[in-house]
Amino acid sequence: MKLISRKNDLNLELQLCFEALDTNGYKPFLTEVYQRLLLTKVKFPLLEYCAMDIFKRLDENKHIEFCSDIAKFNTIGGNVLIGIILQRWLSIDFIQAMNKAAECIQKGKEWYVADIIGERVFGIALLQYQTEALDFLYQLSNNASPFVVRSIGPGAHYAIKKGLPVKETEELFKLLLSLANAKDGEIKRGIGWAAKTTAKFHPQIILKFRSHIDDPEKTGAWFRTKVRIGLERNAYAKGNRIKDHIK
């Protein structure tokens, strides 16, 4: 598989894609993107750069269609393009962007689809549209697809790591707690990731909900384990030894 690791090389490939768009239209452009960018090994930051350029160059009324078409190729890198396009679409039509992200995740049926798109769309939504995003994610928590529910975790992880305020993080943690007794492995991995991040950055939130977390009727052992790991990382970062936060 061809490797592109430099932006200059990437720009050459991207320019050929845009030449196809300008000369022959959308469908040939889509084919060029697939062959030049998605059948090539390109690091995620470079793909994100491509997506931002595509967002600017492609007609706005083609953005959602582009995401649908890219999803059909079932490539890992395609999810990065989808994630960034929909991330930018949040400011145009928030609900449409969020729904499209969930649809692509559901159809993708792979953990990496949930994680790549969830982080880039739901994570940014939580940072920029906190109330609306949290309301939407509460609805997603009841989705029939475990991959869609899993995607809440990467989004929450990203937002918390990037500085989601304490008040909003606490509200988000309540959503995580509502899923703390889940049995599906995909959900446990995604939600557990976010629980660990919450504990690492905001241990005071964990202490506030300790009785709920410690209740085996309400909270699975997997959730407590992730919380414990997060608290340990917080303590290590502060140079302290963790004592008796979570048993």
Side-chain angles (χ1 to χ4, degrees), residues 65-125:
E65 181 181 353
F66 177 78
C67 291
S68 296
D69 290 335
I70 290 296
K72 294 174 185 176
F73 293 134
N74 294 316
T75 63
I76 293 177
N79 297 299
V80 178
L81 299 184
I82 292 167
I84 296 300
I85 295 291
L86 294 179
Q87 179 188 113
R88 294 305 179 95
W89 194 258
L90 288 168
S91 62
I92 299 172
D93 190 327
F94 178 85
I95 295 299
Q96 186 179 30
M98 297 287 273
N99 277 326
K100 192 64 183 179
E103 177 189 316
C104 290
I105 291 167
Q106 184 173 8
K107 290 182 177 180
K109 296 181 180 180
E110 293 286 354
W111 67 267
Y112 55 81
V113 180
D115 291 8
I116 292 170
I117 297 178
E119 185 172 304
R120 285 163 179 78
V121 182
F122 301 152
I124 292 297

Side-chain angles (χ1 to χ4, degrees), residues 105-146:
I105 291 167
Q106 184 173 8
K107 290 182 177 180
K109 296 181 180 180
E110 293 286 354
W111 67 267
Y112 55 81
V113 180
D115 291 8
I116 292 170
I117 297 178
E119 185 172 304
R120 285 163 179 78
V121 182
F122 301 152
I124 292 297
L126 282 165
L127 289 170
Q128 297 181 352
Y129 308 92
Q130 293 159 0
T131 300
E132 297 90 338
L134 190 58
D135 288 345
F136 189 92
L137 293 183
Y138 262 103
Q139 296 176 37
L140 278 195
S141 69
N142 295 312
N143 195 282
S145 167

Side-chain angles (χ1 to χ4, degrees), residues 211-231:
S211 61
H212 188 123
I213 295 169
D214 284 347
D215 187 342
E217 296 296 321
K218 298 178 179 178
T219 304
W222 60 270
F223 193 94
R224 284 193 295 277
T225 297
K226 292 298 184 180
V227 165
R228 176 179 56 78
I229 293 171
L231 290 173

